[in-house]
Amino acid sequence: MELLKDREKQIYRTGKEPFALSCDKDSLAGAVSQRACVFCGSRVVLYPIADAIHLVHGPIGCAVYTWDIRGALSSGPELHRLSFSTDLQELDVIFGGEKKLKRALFELIERHSPKAAFVYSTCIVGIIGDDVDAVCREVAGKTNIPVIPVKSEGFMGNKRAGYTAACNAMDQLIGTGDTTGISPYSINILGDFNLAGEIWLIREYFERMGVEVVANITGDGRVADLQRAHGAALNVVQCSGATMELAQIMEDKYGVPFFHVSYFGIEDMAQALYDVAEHFKNPEIMEKTRQLVKEELESLLPKLAFYKKALQGKKAAIYVGGSFKAFSLVKTLRLIGMNVVMVGSQTGTEQEYRELAEITDPGTVIVDDANALELTSFLEEQKVDLFVGGVKERPIAFKLGVGFCDHNHERKEILAGFSGMLNFAQEVYASVMSPVWRFTYQNGASRGKKSDITIANPNE
Amino acid sequence: MSKNPPNYISTTNACKLCTPLGASLAFKGIEGAVPYLHGSQGCATYMRRYIISHYNEPIDIASSSLSEKHAIYGGGANLKLGLMNVTQKYRPQLIGIATTCLTETIGDDVKSLLCEYDKEVEGEKPIMIHVSTPSYSGTHMEGFHNAVTSVVKALAGRDGEQDMGSGVINILPGFVSPADIRYLKEIAADFPLKATILPDISDTMDGAAAEFYEKIQPGGTPISAIAAMNSSVGSIEFGHTMGKDSSGVLLAEKFGVENTRMPIPMGISATDTFFDCLSRLSGLPIPEKHQAERGRLVDAYVDSHKYIYGKKAIVYGEEDLVVGLTAFLAEIGVMPVLCASGGKSGKLAEMIQQVTADVLPEQPQVHEGMDFYEISEMAEELAPDLLVGHSKGYPLAQKLSIPIIRVGFPIHDRMGGQRILHIGYRGAQQLFDVVVNACIAKKQSDSPVGYSYM
Ligand code: SF4
Ligand code: SF4
């Protein structure tokens, strides 16, 4: 494939040459990156805080495209599912949007009585120079709730920068609540977004182990929980990018230690629970954890065997938002018999890509910030049976006659935890083994081929 | 009943999208074209995802991917680099460049940048069409129409007057579904008439399975056909809410191509107008097949009218679609009680009055610039039996426990949004059956009896 020259360094093939891959670069102009923007990153992380108002300050698009598109569930209030915008108009752009922002905040706070409000600045706000901080301070003073600016102008970087902005915003809440009565065996869950209710499953595991969950910071979140989150004994962080900085801040400020986990796949899920048990050095917790893992595996493994047999040797490609998730996916796909031949992410770090290169088979393509055309050519070249990605990748897979598993934030299936592993296997199986592929040309069908029906192609 | 809509400062759950999204979709209806957003990366990615979730088709929208320094010093260099990269990678015939709020605000002069590009860059260069689309004025519909107009302005008449024979017309359908466009082509072929339909998303946004992945999905209005639009015998333009400088008006003023504006032909009355116009322009009678389709539709209206008479409906979405839907609902005996749009053309009420005055005893409430919070608030009072519009109205339908008739864009909670037929006798037939059956189903499932015979 002819790559755009400036993109060559962001692709690496394992096996031949020593590892070299440059990442964390701005997307190349005109390359149709699958990446989003700073705003997207902050919205992702803060979105599940369900009793806060999330007001997008800017023109309408940024707000409307993020209206209820994610599967993060709440067990109570659902303010997060509404799309609030200041919907700036031409005159606001000329004369400034501060007044409108202020009035919109008062209006929404009065209407919904939220526990806090987050105000997201989008690109244009950065340009017209609204003093969002001042407006937030003023409104907070008058309404007596925290009103927190999130500096998420899209052009200030990629999604990662948005994570930083979100972590800084949460930092303003943490440490302001009462922490009495919190158990010494207590954790905060960071970086799980409660898609399809996953965090409830994970919480239940921890509760079975005898560990108290103080705050689910990024899934089914509540302002009051966040405010007392510094009282937890440990931060358990999933997903490399999104909340790591918050964990770091909490360690520096409040001495709460943290480590990384992943809840995807048997190995990583069990490891996560054992790591937490280990941390507390309490034999009772450890014993309960062993028991839990044993019970779960006893019921799960026999069921998985069927899928493993059916999917043995099939080839898979992965392209996800953060590369940390990619690790779990590589292991998980192996567990059900599949070979991973391509792994990529929108925002991985060099270290992560290096480690990915180490755990994958020779010949595997590792790619940072792939664009749509690159993805198609990798899929074609590697003749894969399954592509794991998000919504934007799905039509690419389907046009190429390749099965697809949605592993992104829009999904409505639990894929985390032990039972999530089974769902994952089922979903992969359902797509890979469907009889519909018989009719696609990539899989050997010949009837009605283009050579027979000719659709005019401007490029020929 | 209040005649004034609530007037809030904040917008909650908007009933509109932003301008470059409309422009991108319009550009997707041109053969060999790639839409390009001059702005930061996020906008393009968000729009792609939004569009993909409806059409289930790949849509590549390139972006200048501006970063902070460009936002301060101008995005010209990135624009040029981006155009070069798109040219090299996609080999497009045309790049449709829409601005975003960011580049409009920092004041990038895309027009002169394109002139510079033309001088500076050697070798192959696709046609570049620029449309200015700040989202702080207008909705995706303004973006859509302005993109089409920019294309016509740049291309029509490029090669001078063409001898097209007598039977060529222009159809400017606005934002309808791929299925609608396919049907328009069929109607034209049945007359027979040669029609240049602009834009034509019938293949590009609803493509067949193919052997090879095409970088640019095949299909779309050929550029040569757009260039010859000045030589057609007439244009038919659907929709009334666009401004005076629509493509139909432009072709009329610049080249004397007669322009007929009509509402999107939804329902029998509006479709009659459309067929009459085709007949007049071509000098040919309405084909038997379509007369028969109309006959079956009248028969269906009669068979089922009692199930739906007097049902109250809230209609929402793009203004022109709302006008078409309202006309259709009114003629089948459903009573529109609120017609709402996020758009603000200032013409919605007048248009609705025009198409429904002869059937509706009382005009519905008509409000522009609405969002779903306001629609919901009014719905409590209006107690509708039906919602008619895109899938973002679903939460309201669920709250009110009433059926939603899914039409238009986006359909994000069902498959096949690209195949919904809205226009013509056939579209009316399909919509009619859906409306009737939704009412029957509601009655059936609300009853504890378990009727299997309704
Ligand atoms: S900045 Fe403007 S163009 Fe971009 S998504 Fe927001 S409204 Fe749309
Ligand atoms: S305007 Fe900026 S913040 Fe909004 S979607 Fe576009 S890049 Fe993101």
Side-chain angles (χ1 to χ4, degrees):
Chain A
M1 180 190 50
E2 45 155 345
L3 291 166
L4 288 173
K5 230 174 119 242
D6 296 342
R7 288 271 315 133
E8 275 165 13
K9 292 199 191 78
Q10 277 165 282
I11 295 158
Y12 171 72
R13 279 161 207 272
T14 57
K16 287 174 223 143
E17 284 142 36
F19 178 82
L21 191 137
S22 84
C23 51
D24 212 5
K25 298 212 304 191
D26 288 340
S27 293
L28 182 63
V32 192
S33 163
Q34 306 290 82
R35 275 183 186 170
C37 61
V38 185
F39 164 65
C40 177
S42 353
R43 185 86 168 94
V44 167
V45 175
L46 297 173
Y47 174 79
I49 302 174
D51 54 356
I53 273 185
H54 300 270
L55 174 60
V56 182
H57 185 34
I60 199 63
C62 323
V64 81
Y65 301 131
T66 47
W67 173 17
D68 202 23
I69 53 168
R70 304 169 69 80
L73 299 186
S74 164
S75 54
E78 291 198 306
L79 280 177
H80 68 304
R81 293 186 56 200
L82 300 173
S83 158
F84 300 117
S85 167
T86 48
D87 189 5
L88 293 182
Q89 299 296 302
E90 195 150 10
L91 285 179
D92 305 318
V93 172
I94 298 170
F95 297 111
E98 289 172 24
K99 232 191 244 148
K100 192 169 191 187
L101 172 62
K102 197 193 302 177
R103 294 174 65 196
L105 274 170
F106 282 128
E107 177 176 282
L108 291 171
I109 291 170
E110 193 194 315
R111 185 193 289 165
H112 296 285
S113 318
K115 295 287 186 301
F118 293 99
V119 179
Y120 303 77
S121 310
T122 60
C123 286
I124 202 174
V125 172
I127 300 298
I128 61 178
D130 280 358
D131 190 347
V132 177
D133 290 9
V135 173
C136 289
R137 263 197 310 275
E138 185 186 336
V139 176
K142 291 199 173 130
T143 56
N144 278 320
I145 61 164
V147 180
I148 300 169
V150 186
K151 291 191 183 28
S152 53
E153 288 87 349
F155 59 77
M156 307 280 268
N158 64 24
K159 226 167 152 182
R160 259 173 192 278
Y163 298 152
T164 306
C167 290
N168 290 335
M170 288 189 285
D171 175 35
Q172 297 187 37
L173 285 177
I174 292 167
T176 60
D178 179 15
T179 58
T180 41
I182 294 177
S183 154
Y185 305 116
S186 58
I187 60 168
N188 296 314
I189 302 181
L190 279 72
D192 184 286
F193 298 98
N194 200 30
L195 307 174
E198 282 174 345
I199 218 165
W200 298 327
L201 186 75
I202 306 297
R203 264 188 92 116
E204 189 217 296
Y205 293 155
F206 285 123
E207 275 155 21
R208 274 161 72 187
M209 289 160 53
V211 172
E212 179 187 338
V213 178
V214 179
N216 325 317
I217 291 195
T218 51
D220 196 11
R222 293 294 179 277
V223 172
D225 291 347
L226 265 136
Q227 287 170 325
R228 64 199 287 267
H230 59 297
L234 174 68
N235 276 330
V236 182
V237 186
Q238 178 173 256
C239 179
S240 56
T243 48
M244 196 172 58
E245 280 175 69
L246 184 65
Q248 191 61 56
I249 293 171
M250 287 178 74
E251 183 171 81
D252 296 347
K253 266 193 174 170
Y254 309 103
V256 184
F258 71 93
F259 54 71
H260 286 299
V261 297
S262 164
Y263 305 126
F264 292 113
I266 295 181
E267 267 176 72
D268 287 354
M269 182 65 236
Q271 192 62 46
L273 301 181
Y274 282 131
D275 285 351
V276 171
E278 188 93 1
H279 174 85
F280 287 123
K281 309 217 182 322
N282 174 318
E284 201 183 318
I285 291 179
M286 185 48 95
E287 186 42 41
K288 282 187 187 156
T289 308
R290 278 204 198 96
Q291 195 56 33
L292 185 157
V293 173
K294 187 163 158 263
E295 279 167 26
E296 293 288 337
L297 288 189
E298 269 169 9
S299 94
L300 176 62
L301 287 177
K303 292 180 198 148
L304 273 185
F306 166 80
Y307 296 103
K308 181 165 186 175
K309 195 164 161 225
L311 295 169
Q312 198 64 48
K314 302 266 184 203
K315 290 200 238 174
I318 300 168
Y319 189 77
V320 286
S323 62
F324 202 70
K325 184 155 78 186
F327 282 95
S328 295
L329 282 169
V330 170
K331 291 187 226 168
T332 307
L333 288 162
R334 279 201 188 136
L335 187 74
I336 50 174
M338 299 184 78
N339 300 331
V340 175
V341 293
M342 185 206 111
V343 198
S345 85
Q346 291 169 22
T347 54
T349 61
E350 197 196 327
Q351 178 61 18
E352 288 161 351
Y353 287 122
R354 184 185 298 280
E355 286 168 28
L356 270 176
E358 277 161 20
I359 67 161
T360 47
D361 297 330
T364 305
V365 174
I366 312 260
V367 57
D368 175 57
D369 187 23
N371 59 55
L373 288 183
E374 283 164 9
L375 289 175
T376 54
S377 70
F378 292 138
L379 295 188
E380 273 177 336
E381 166 196 307
Q382 302 271 12
K383 298 230 175 314
V384 304
D385 301 287
L386 177 81
F387 188 23
V388 185
V391 175
K392 293 184 298 290
E393 289 83 35
R394 185 174 52 210
I396 296 175
F398 286 171
K399 283 287 175 216
L400 292 168
V402 168
F404 187 79
C405 173
D406 203 331
H407 210 295
N408 214 324
H409 289 241
E410 293 85 2
R411 64 190 157 84
K412 307 287 178 287
E413 303 296 331
I414 289 190
L415 299 179
F418 296 106
S419 47
M421 178 68 217
L422 188 61
N423 293 341
F424 181 72
Q426 279 165 344
E427 199 177 323
V428 168
Y429 179 82
S431 194
V432 172
M433 306 304 273
S434 167
V436 300
W437 303 120
R438 297 185 291 162
F439 300 110
T440 62
Y441 305 118
Q442 290 83 356
N443 296 282
S446 60
R447 185 174 173 136
K449 264 199 187 172
K450 197 166 144 207
S451 33
D452 303 333
I453 50 172
T454 52
I455 307 169
N457 178 0
N459 301 313
E460 281 170 5
Chain B
M1 209 185 289
S2 95
K3 284 278 173 195
N4 285 320
N7 198 1
Y8 294 119
I9 308 293
S10 59
T11 296
T12 305
N13 301 344
C15 186
K16 61 176 175 182
L17 303 165
C18 73
T19 35
L21 178 135
S24 301
L25 277 168
F27 288 132
K28 277 299 284 184
I30 295 164
E31 192 177 71
V34 172
Y36 184 106
L37 297 193
H38 182 42
S40 29
Q41 180 62 46
C43 313
T45 304
Y46 272 139
M47 287 176 219
R48 287 176 60 216
R49 177 165 60 189
Y50 206 84
I51 295 170
I52 287 170
S53 304
H54 173 90
Y55 292 98
N56 289 298
E57 290 289 330
I59 170 162
D60 288 3
I61 301 175
S63 160
S64 297
S65 297
L66 298 185
S67 65
E68 197 174 359
K69 63 175 189 285
H70 310 117
I72 297 166
Y73 301 112
N78 258 41
L79 173 66
K80 293 177 193 168
L81 178 64
L83 293 175
M84 225 140 47
N85 282 333
V86 170
T87 305
Q88 185 202 333
K89 250 335 214 180
Y90 287 83
R91 310 228 166 274
Q93 296 180 48
L94 183 149
I95 303 180
I97 303 145
T99 45
T100 67
C101 304
L102 174 66
T103 46
E104 285 289 334
T105 312
I106 60 177
D108 272 358
D109 183 355
V110 174
K111 216 173 173 180
S112 44
L113 287 168
L114 288 178
C115 282
E116 283 171 37
Y117 182 84
D118 200 45
K119 284 192 211 109
E120 288 163 16
V121 177
E122 303 272 303
E124 153 186 352
K125 263 172 285 181
I127 301 166
M128 308 270 184
I129 309 272
H130 159 233
V131 56
S132 163
T133 45
S135 274
Y136 44 76
S137 53
T139 69
H140 59 302
M141 286 320 298
E142 278 73 30
F144 187 98
H145 290 308
N146 292 345
V148 177
T149 306
S150 303
V151 170
V152 171
K153 202 182 267 172
L155 297 178
R158 185 184 64 171
D159 311 327
E161 187 72 20
Q162 311 275 306
D163 182 14
M164 308 294 291
S166 57
V168 185
I169 61 162
N170 304 322
I171 301 180
L172 301 152
F175 186 23
V176 293
S177 74
D180 289 327
I181 304 265
R182 270 196 293 278
Y183 177 43
L184 280 177
K185 287 180 173 170
E186 183 186 325
I187 293 172
D190 288 343
F191 258 91
L193 253 170
K194 266 204 191 142
T196 296
I197 302 175
L198 177 72
D200 171 5
I201 55 168
S202 61
D203 291 318
T204 53
M205 295 314 294
D206 192 16
E211 208 175 338
F212 302 104
Y213 187 90
E214 307 277 1
K215 291 179 182 176
I216 301 176
Q217 284 68 39
T221 319
I223 286 171
S224 57
I226 305 173
M229 284 175 97
N230 60 316
S231 308
S232 297
V233 292
S235 309
I236 301 177
E237 192 168 49
F238 295 164
H240 275 277
T241 54
M242 57 268 210
K244 274 199 216 72
D245 42 2
S246 71
S247 3
V249 171
L250 189 134
L251 286 166
E253 285 177 354
K254 204 163 156 195
F255 303 106
V257 183
E258 176 198 319
N259 186 37
T260 311
R261 259 196 195 183
M262 60 179 66
I264 302 177
M266 303 186 71
I268 292 178
S269 307
T271 305
D272 284 348
T273 310
F274 174 57
F275 270 94
D276 289 347
C277 187
L278 288 178
S279 187
R280 186 173 55 76
L281 287 174
S282 64
L284 296 164
I286 297 168
E288 193 52 43
K289 172 176 145 193
H290 297 278
Q291 303 269 32
E293 243 172 319
R294 183 183 190 280
R296 283 195 296 276
L297 178 58
V298 174
D299 195 55
Y301 274 16
V302 172
D303 289 343
S304 315
H305 67 279
K306 286 208 283 192
Y307 294 107
I308 50 174
Y309 183 79
K311 296 278 185 215
K312 292 188 286 178
I314 290 182
V315 191
Y316 58 87
E318 294 126 18
E319 290 167 273
D320 282 316
L321 182 69
V322 167
V323 172
L325 285 166
T326 306
F328 162 71
L329 292 169
E331 77 173 19
I332 62 175
V334 171
M335 203 167 67
V337 287
L338 169 62
C339 303
S341 177
K344 285 189 208 165
S345 71
K347 298 182 202 145
L348 188 57
E350 181 196 329
M351 284 319 304
I352 286 178
Q353 157 83 26
Q354 261 179 41
V355 294
T356 59
D358 62 330
V359 271
L360 285 183
E362 196 190 331
Q363 279 295 301
Q365 296 198 46
V366 180
H367 296 302
E368 298 181 1
M370 293 278 274
D371 64 19
F372 278 99
Y373 185 82
E374 293 160 340
I375 296 174
S376 301
E377 228 176 38
M378 294 186 74
E380 312 245 310
E381 222 179 294
L382 295 167
D385 302 293
L386 282 177
L387 288 192
V388 185
H390 54 74
S391 67
K392 298 296 169 189
Y394 178 74
L396 176 59
Q398 189 188 40
K399 186 169 117 194
L400 301 171
S401 303
I402 58 172
I404 174 172
I405 309 298
R406 290 176 177 79
V407 288
F409 173 91
I411 307 297
H412 280 172
D413 64 346
R414 288 289 184 277
M415 295 306 283
Q418 70 275 47
R419 291 184 291 274
I420 296 178
L421 197 56
H422 306 84
I423 64 168
Y425 300 128
R426 205 180 292 163
Q429 179 72 70
Q430 293 186 5
L431 281 185
F432 181 73
D433 288 340
V434 173
V435 171
V436 170
N437 286 331
C439 292
I440 296 178
K442 166 88 173 129
K443 194 165 181 185
Q444 185 178 37
S445 54
D446 283 355
S447 158
V449 179
Y451 291 112
S452 65
Y453 182 98
M454 292 297 290

